[in-house]
Amino acid sequence: MIGFLVSLCAFGQEEVYQVKNYNTILTPCQLGNNCAYQDHFGTLWIGNEDGLFTFDGISIKKHVLPQKNQQDFSKYSIYAITEDEEQTLWIGTSSGVFYRSSNGFQPFSTRSKYQVAISSKVSKIATHGDFVWMATEGQGLFLYNKKSQHLTHINQHAAMYTDLCIDGQIVYASTYSGLILTFSIDGQLIDKINLPAYHRIKCMQVTPQSVWIGTAQHSLFKINKKTKNVQVIDLPDASFRNIYSMAVSKKHIILGTDYGAFQMPIEGEGDYQPLRDKFGDEIFTYESEIRSIAKDKDGGLWLMTYMNGILRISPNGTAIMNLDSPNGQIVSALCPDQQQGKLWVGTRNGLFMLDKEERGGLHPVDIPHEKQMPLEIRALCKENDNLWIGLYGNGLMIYNTQTKASKSYPDAPKFINKIFKTYQGEILLGTDMGLYTFQKETASFVREAKWTNEESIYEIMEDSRHNLWITTASQKAYLRKAGKTSFEPQIRK
């Protein structure tokens, strides 16, 4: 590969959108959509009045939540979905909370000190570290500490809550009566902020300097996080009345209303404008209520309407640029670095880097090493600040992208084709002599005994269930199921 293509979606082009209507595929989700969330696998979870659904980009599946007891014949409507740092999925329903464990969905049955269980409508769930915050319409707030398994009931300030936002160690909770409460992450009340007049709050959105408040009375507010000053955002001649949901794009705050989607500058001054597609036409959803906006990992926004299905809008700035490799070198490995906003490019003549902020093309990276010859790179893998570099004929190096230091492993396999980091943090090397695992405790390499015939490993991947798949140069495939330690050959049928 002499050159390659790179997406420019992060290079700050004008925010116009491409629109795709999913009503044909998502037929069960045409009515009553309340919320959506994309999990770490990329699966879109959809909550509506008829229950819980998933969409994997191809097909839709309904998930039936278990009954809490033999006398429970409830049909659960879904109003809140989120995922914690341990990748546990939390579901807020019309009557309580469920979570997904290794045994599937389970009702959250923990009770507070005074034996109070969550039984009312759950409007929002937000997580941070060991803490799970749950806002209800009728029972106030609940705070669950996963580490101590203790549930705290916070009902002395209000009973009806509409939204929750977590900003670092600060929790913002909004009530029906126009009151914003701030708490520490462990549940200590910090402050109470009142809107200028009674406004029924529908939603909140945190940005770097502000907390935005959308209401049901044709009003939008912005609270300065430092001064706590409340600013009224003027909405002259707005066609909408209710602001049901908000999300943040690159430069704008996106408003989901009862009359389509609109955008405003995040922190600067400017009027609200309808979202427009790549042809300059306004994006309307047939005067339908946009109850929720879910942002996916590709920068797209899923607009969940209450009566007219689901739309996905993606920034039209996702352009493609053709980059020629330096001096016509063959590109053998690419490694995106979301943490630093870079793309690492391995060639047969060394390492190069593309910085999305500089927009100046590829830059050579000088890696200190003992051999006074160009590095023939065949594989790259990023682990925190370390860039693992697989060399053809010269083994393995680790380059720290922060300190610029490098370390060579003379005992590593010599001909590396692939480096892969698993979900559990395991480092695997696919080589011309089989598969190796890096043992961090001893800094050694252990060969997988299955490959006694020294097969060349060309590809390693992990699926959504954490099964590991490996393909070889002889067109064979091997599978290591999640929780197992050995690979088994897969027979073509």
Side-chain angles (χ1 to χ4, degrees):
M1 183 167 61
I2 303 300
F4 58 98
L5 303 177
V6 61
S7 167
L8 296 182
C9 60
F11 281 85
Q13 294 160 336
E14 182 182 358
E15 287 194 285
V16 293
Y17 297 87
Q18 294 176 332
V19 184
K20 184 172 182 179
N21 191 314
Y22 280 87
N23 287 351
T24 302
I25 302 174
L26 302 179
T27 303
C29 298
Q30 286 190 346
L31 300 175
N33 296 309
N34 294 314
C35 59
Y37 184 85
Q38 187 185 40
D39 67 17
H40 67 285
F41 292 131
T43 301
L44 184 71
W45 293 81
I46 302 167
N48 67 21
E49 299 293 341
D50 193 39
L52 182 66
F53 300 82
T54 51
F55 178 54
D56 60 5
I58 300 175
S59 59
I60 189 168
K61 176 183 178 181
K62 184 173 183 178
H63 298 261
V64 179
L65 298 177
Q67 304 301 321
K68 296 179 181 178
N69 52 59
Q70 292 182 351
Q71 289 75 40
D72 182 9
F73 298 99
S74 303
K75 172 187 172 184
Y76 299 107
S77 298
I78 310 299
Y79 295 98
I81 307 172
T82 195
E83 186 179 43
D84 63 24
E85 295 175 5
E86 297 174 346
Q87 300 174 357
T88 298
L89 202 70
W90 294 83
I91 309 296
T93 77
S94 49
S95 56
V97 174
F98 290 78
Y99 66 96
R100 187 179 63 169
S101 67
S102 58
N103 296 321
F105 285 102
Q106 304 292 329
F108 179 74
S109 56
T110 303
R111 293 175 178 265
S112 71
K113 178 181 178 180
Y114 298 104
Q115 297 302 304
V116 178
I118 305 174
S119 58
S120 58
K121 174 183 174 181
V122 178
S123 55
K124 189 65 176 288
I125 303 176
T127 70
H128 181 84
D130 291 327
F131 299 100
V132 182
W133 282 78
M134 293 162 275
T136 74
E137 296 184 12
Q139 290 182 283
L141 299 172
F142 290 87
L143 170 59
Y144 178 61
N145 187 318
K146 294 186 293 182
K147 189 174 183 180
S148 66
Q149 298 185 348
H150 179 72
L151 181 67
T152 302
H153 188 196
I154 306 172
N155 65 339
Q156 62 268 42
H157 309 294
M160 306 287 285
Y161 285 84
T162 58
D163 205 355
L164 280 172
C165 287
I166 295 181
D167 184 32
Q169 297 293 314
I170 304 297
V171 179
Y172 295 88
S174 62
T175 73
Y176 266 61
S177 59
L179 178 66
I180 308 294
L181 296 99
T182 60
F183 298 86
S184 62
I185 194 65
D186 61 355
Q188 301 301 312
L189 179 66
I190 297 175
D191 201 358
K192 295 182 180 180
I193 305 171
N194 284 289
L195 298 184
Y198 173 80
H199 288 275
R200 183 176 175 181
I201 298 174
K202 287 288 190 179
C203 59
M204 295 189 296
Q205 177 65 52
V206 174
T207 60
Q209 281 79 41
S210 307
V211 180
W212 292 71
I213 311 295
T215 77
Q217 280 83 24
H218 195 150
S219 297
L220 181 65
F221 298 89
K222 186 167 67 171
I223 300 174
N224 186 296
K225 291 195 291 189
K226 289 184 178 180
T227 66
K228 304 297 189 298
N229 290 334
V230 180
Q231 178 186 353
V232 180
I233 306 298
D234 190 26
L235 301 172
D237 303 320
S239 57
F240 56 86
R241 176 176 176 81
N242 296 293
I243 302 173
Y244 288 107
S245 54
M246 289 187 280
V248 176
S249 66
K250 297 175 190 175
K251 302 176 182 178
H252 296 90
I253 190 88
I254 308 298
L255 310 178
T257 77
D258 52 10
Y259 203 86
F262 298 81
Q263 63 183 9
M264 296 187 68
I266 290 179
E267 302 299 349
E269 299 297 327
D271 295 333
Y272 73 96
Q273 299 289 336
L275 265 64
R276 299 182 182 277
D277 62 21
K278 61 181 180 178
F279 304 107
D281 297 326
E282 297 179 1
I283 299 174
F284 283 104
T285 53
Y286 311 105
E287 304 179 13
S288 183
E289 301 173 356
I290 301 178
R291 289 294 183 92
S292 177
I293 304 176
K295 190 173 184 179
D296 63 29
K297 294 177 175 60
D298 298 319
L301 298 174
W302 293 80
L303 307 183
M304 319 302 294
T305 77
Y306 196 69
M307 296 296 292
N308 286 288
I310 297 173
L311 293 176
R312 183 184 186 273
I313 61 175
S314 56
N316 196 37
T318 309
I320 301 297
M321 178 174 66
N322 188 348
L323 287 177
D324 293 327
S325 61
N327 302 319
Q329 294 296 325
I330 296 177
V331 176
S332 50
L334 298 174
C335 182
D337 186 350
Q338 301 293 341
Q339 179 183 356
Q340 298 183 20
K342 295 179 172 60
L343 177 69
W344 301 96
V345 181
T347 77
R348 300 291 176 87
N349 194 33
L351 182 68
F352 294 82
M353 179 267 292
L354 175 70
D355 192 323
K356 72 177 185 181
E357 299 297 335
E358 296 181 6
R359 304 177 66 179
L362 292 171
H363 302 281
V365 179
D366 185 20
I367 302 178
H369 61 285
E370 297 177 358
K371 299 181 181 298
Q372 300 301 316
M373 62 179 64
L375 299 175
E376 185 175 344
I377 297 174
R378 293 296 181 91
L380 295 171
C381 181
K382 190 72 167 24
E383 182 196 32
N384 299 323
D385 292 335
N386 291 325
L387 184 66
W388 292 66
I389 303 174
L391 306 173
Y392 194 77
N394 289 298
L396 178 72
M397 293 181 64
I398 294 181
Y399 172 68
N400 189 294
T401 58
Q402 295 291 343
T403 65
K404 314 302 181 188
S406 64
K407 181 179 181 180
S408 297
Y409 287 86
D411 296 332
K414 299 303 179 186
F415 298 92
I416 298 176
N417 301 314
K418 181 75 175 183
I419 306 176
F420 187 83
K421 177 187 173 185
T422 69
Y423 163 72
Q424 297 289 349
E426 184 182 17
I427 299 294
L428 303 177
L429 307 180
T431 78
D432 279 358
M433 304 290 287
L435 180 71
Y436 288 77
T437 301
F438 178 68
Q439 304 293 320
K440 295 184 179 180
E441 297 80 7
T442 59
S444 60
F445 301 87
V446 177
R447 187 166 177 267
E448 168 64 39
K450 178 68 68 175
W451 279 277
T452 55
N453 57 348
E454 300 180 352
E455 283 203 75
S456 294
I457 309 299
Y458 270 27
E459 188 57 72
I460 307 171
M461 66 86 64
E462 186 173 20
D463 64 25
S464 61
R465 297 181 179 177
H466 304 307
N467 300 314
L468 276 173
W469 296 82
I470 287 176
T471 58
T472 71
S474 58
Q475 299 183 3
K476 295 179 181 179
Y478 294 82
L479 168 65
R480 188 183 79 183
K481 293 186 177 181
K484 303 295 183 179
T485 58
S486 61
F487 287 84
E488 300 299 331
Q490 302 302 293
I491 307 300
R492 290 185 179 181
K493 296 182 179 180

